[in-house]
Amino acid sequence: MTLQFAYFPGCSAKTTCSELNQAMHRIAPELGLLLHEIDTPVCTGSREIRSVDPLGFLVANARILAVAETAALPLMTVCNTCTLNLIDTQARLTGDSDTRGEVNVRLASEGLVYRGPVEIRHFLWVLLEDIGPVALRKMIKRPMRGLSVAAFYGCHITRPPSRYGYVDSRNNRSLEQLAEVLGCRPIDYSGRTECCGFHTAAANEKVAIKLTGQHVADARENGASLMLTPCPLCHTVLDTFQRDMERDLNRRLDMPILHLAQIVGLALGVKAADLGLNQHVIPSNGIIETLNGSI
Amino acid sequence: MPTALMLAESEIDEAALNTRQAALVVHDDLAARNAALQPGDMIRVRVRLYNPDTGESSIEAVALTYHNRMRVLDALNAASTSSLDIAYRWLCGSKMCGTCAVRMNGREVLACWEAVEPDMLIEPLRNLPVLRDLVVDRTPFDIKVAAFEPWLERSTPYTGFPETLTHQQMRHASAALECIGCMACYSACPVVGLGGITAFAGPAPLVQLAQTALDPRQRSDKVLRSLEASNIFDCVSCYKCEEVCPAHIRIVTDVIEPLKAKAAALSPRLARHPLTFGAIVAARGRIEPALLVLRLKGWRALARLGRVLTLIRRRKIRPSRTMLALASMLLGRKPGP
């Protein structure tokens, strides 16, 4: 059975985390996903445009939703912040017909119209709900035995409560559930649903380095062999700033950080190089050796 | 083991209901959360005590008998009348006065509004000095708020009467007026706790600021002064404040973001990061992260040369792409077809 999605990779997966986009396209056929990438350069506004240009933010997100709507497909995302921006836009435009009218005036020049019924699906939800753990388990060619996984959710896929329903976001256990399906052992640690600080990193990276260093160190202390994140923005901080965290903490961390699509790809038997693992700052050789040893 | 606790259905908006994750929604009122316990069950309460005279901190435990609709506050009352001598604050017992906030099992709650759990560790709020046991000193918050001069002042007197203010104009300021000043958000904020590396004011003071700064009558020079002092752009948008707010104020969406927009309107220098981000997206369609950092930091971006070279080697940064983006941004061109 093939599941079809309009696919919005977002800026990060098209630039600094291009390995995520590469891995996603590589594993989609294996998972029975047919992805129609929305390839026009467009940004959901991250936190920056969202705060200083509220209408421009809504237009940018409504444009993406309108494109998916034209194709009559659900929209799949691979970035937490894009996901929340799209969900927030949909909620705002559902409840506020005046603003919806203003947005549609701006979209009309491109021949697009936003009506609103598009389903927004993060890849994590596609794996666990659309494909489902039972079907996913049958697809696994290389069970990930011997790997201890520290899930790092990032904020925008588990908070705010008005969108995701968690009174306590620590109750989100979807990544651990997925890790178990893939044959890994999920570990518990205090950083699971904490913030990586990405959204101030371009201007003040010290906040991100300080915040995230303690979470990586805590994952290390609890025996994680890798950290898994569903968000390329978290990945950027966890991976590219990790050497700075080591300097700040005055200790080695050497914690490989994997994108969701990469860990699924490894379990499906895809070669590490095809998943772009060599594009990370922190090498993943240890993981590959563990996997090869377990076969 | 915490169960999946969800908001009441009425608090989930329409669009979220259309998405499939909302299928997980269950009722989460006091009775539903208490359903895990039956009257007569024993619960374990551990309280972190702190004695300022000796500077010693300890955790004391007590076992209590659960009764129907038992709240954290009931447990504290029962514990302090049985065996423990605990200093804690409360007044109204009905989610109005904002004095009884504590951390229960690592989460900020109002003691008067939270159901007990079978095994609880109750601690004082973070990011404020502890006076004794569960009582914290609110002075750092008071000082920050006082510095904002949180009263309305016009730059020119209003001549007509009555003054018309629309719902739209007052939307964000009135959301901020729901605040009961409990400091739960201030304790939950991960940035406030970082201390020396940022002077971020924190969510609770910003909510107080929003009550006047987002009122169209307020003098803009005063708003600008307060926003400059607040370091608001060090907010990481993690929504931890929204998660714990007992008044259900959407602190990021209805307070911090409108304040950021205000800062951008009053002083482009203050909002250089988001405005530069917007300019790059306007020129390129999407953000080019390396260019954003280069524009924000100038040649200081190369201070960490080792990191830059590693990122180039790992194909995370492509200098040719960054330079192309820079050129198109300087020329103010839209991306080609």
Side-chain angles (χ1 to χ4, degrees), chain B residues 17-319:
Chain B
L17 276 176
N18 291 333
T19 62
R20 209 171 306 169
Q21 70 265 28
L24 300 166
V25 169
V26 295
H27 283 285
D28 181 31
D29 51 24
L30 204 56
R33 301 184 75 191
N34 271 272
L37 290 159
Q38 297 300 317
D41 285 353
M42 295 308 285
I43 61 168
R44 185 162 82 120
V45 183
R46 287 168 299 147
V47 185
R48 188 181 294 281
L49 301 178
Y50 168 73
N51 183 340
D53 302 328
T54 61
E56 280 170 18
S57 171
S58 63
I59 292 175
E60 302 293 331
V62 60
L64 297 172
T65 310
Y66 174 76
H67 64 71
N68 262 336
R69 291 180 291 282
M70 191 172 191
R71 306 166 297 168
V72 173
L73 179 60
D74 299 321
L76 285 174
N77 286 341
S80 65
T81 50
S82 61
S83 57
L84 290 183
D85 181 16
I86 314 170
Y88 60 104
R89 281 195 185 121
W90 71 282
L91 179 67
C92 74
S94 58
K95 206 182 180 181
M96 300 289 285
C97 72
T99 56
C100 70
V102 291
R103 299 181 85 224
M104 187 263 275
N105 290 343
R107 186 162 65 93
E108 287 73 13
V109 299
L110 283 187
C112 75
W113 211 255
E114 196 67 19
V116 293
E117 288 182 6
D119 188 0
M120 297 192 289
L121 173 61
I122 301 174
E123 298 170 287
L125 296 180
R126 299 185 298 188
N127 302 333
L128 292 166
V130 179
L131 292 174
R132 180 182 288 272
D133 303 343
L134 303 178
V135 179
V136 293
D137 180 4
R138 297 163 57 101
T139 308
F141 164 79
D142 292 336
I143 289 173
K144 283 178 182 174
V145 174
F148 292 151
E149 302 170 37
W151 51 88
L152 282 177
E153 276 179 281
R154 289 190 151 284
S155 16
T156 49
Y158 184 72
T159 45
F161 185 84
E163 181 166 9
T164 47
L165 283 172
T166 66
H167 164 73
Q168 280 295 335
Q169 284 174 311
M170 289 300 289
R171 187 158 55 106
H172 297 308
S174 62
L177 283 162
E178 297 290 321
C179 178
I180 59 172
C182 68
M183 299 297 117
C185 61
Y186 197 75
S187 170
C189 177
V191 181
V192 172
L194 291 180
I197 62 169
T198 163
F200 179 53
L206 289 172
V207 172
Q208 295 299 313
L209 174 61
Q211 296 175 355
T212 52
L214 298 179
D215 185 314
R217 294 168 294 184
Q218 179 70 316
R219 282 170 53 168
S220 54
D221 59 327
K222 200 160 85 169
V223 175
L224 179 57
R225 228 173 23 243
S226 304
L227 286 170
E228 274 173 343
S230 74
N231 278 278
I232 190 167
F233 288 98
D234 273 354
C235 165
V236 290
S237 304
C238 69
Y239 291 92
K240 292 222 151 208
C241 50
E242 282 194 24
E243 181 170 44
V244 299
C245 178
H248 298 299
I249 301 171
R250 300 196 307 168
I251 299 176
V252 176
T253 306
D254 286 340
V255 170
I256 293 181
E257 290 189 331
L259 284 174
K260 283 179 173 173
K262 195 93 183 169
L266 292 174
S267 164
R269 183 186 52 79
L270 200 56
R272 211 168 135 239
H273 171 194
L275 293 174
T276 307
F277 187 104
I280 295 172
V281 171
R284 297 286 298 165
R286 68 168 65 104
I287 191 66
E288 175 57 43
L291 179 58
L292 177 65
V293 174
L294 191 63
R295 298 284 295 186
L296 289 176
K297 300 197 167 168
W299 298 112
R300 279 180 299 138
L302 297 176
R304 291 247 180 261
L305 193 61
R307 181 165 75 202
V308 174
L309 292 176
T310 304
L311 295 183
I312 291 173
R313 206 162 54 236
R314 302 289 185 193
R315 286 173 285 153
K316 296 246 165 204
I317 299 177
R318 297 181 191 201

Side-chain angles (χ1 to χ4, degrees), chain B residues 319-330:
Chain B
S320 56
R321 193 175 60 196
T322 306
M323 288 306 134
L324 185 71
L326 178 64
S328 78
M329 189 187 168
L330 294 178

Side-chain angles (χ1 to χ4, degrees), chain A residues 178-204:
Chain A
L178 180 80
E180 273 174 350
V181 170
L182 302 179
C184 314
R185 188 175 69 88
I187 64 136
D188 222 347
Y189 74 110
S190 64
R192 294 174 56 248
T193 55
E194 297 296 317
C195 178
C196 74
F198 175 87
H199 292 290
T200 58
N204 184 2

Side-chain angles (χ1 to χ4, degrees), chain A residues 260-291:
Chain A
L260 202 50
Q262 290 175 325
I263 199 167
V264 172
L266 287 175
L268 294 174
V270 179
K271 281 195 301 211
D274 293 349
L275 298 166
L277 259 75
N278 50 3
Q279 286 190 44
H280 297 172
V281 172
I282 308 297
S284 320
N285 306 350
I287 303 172
I288 308 303
E289 280 162 27
T290 307
L291 284 178

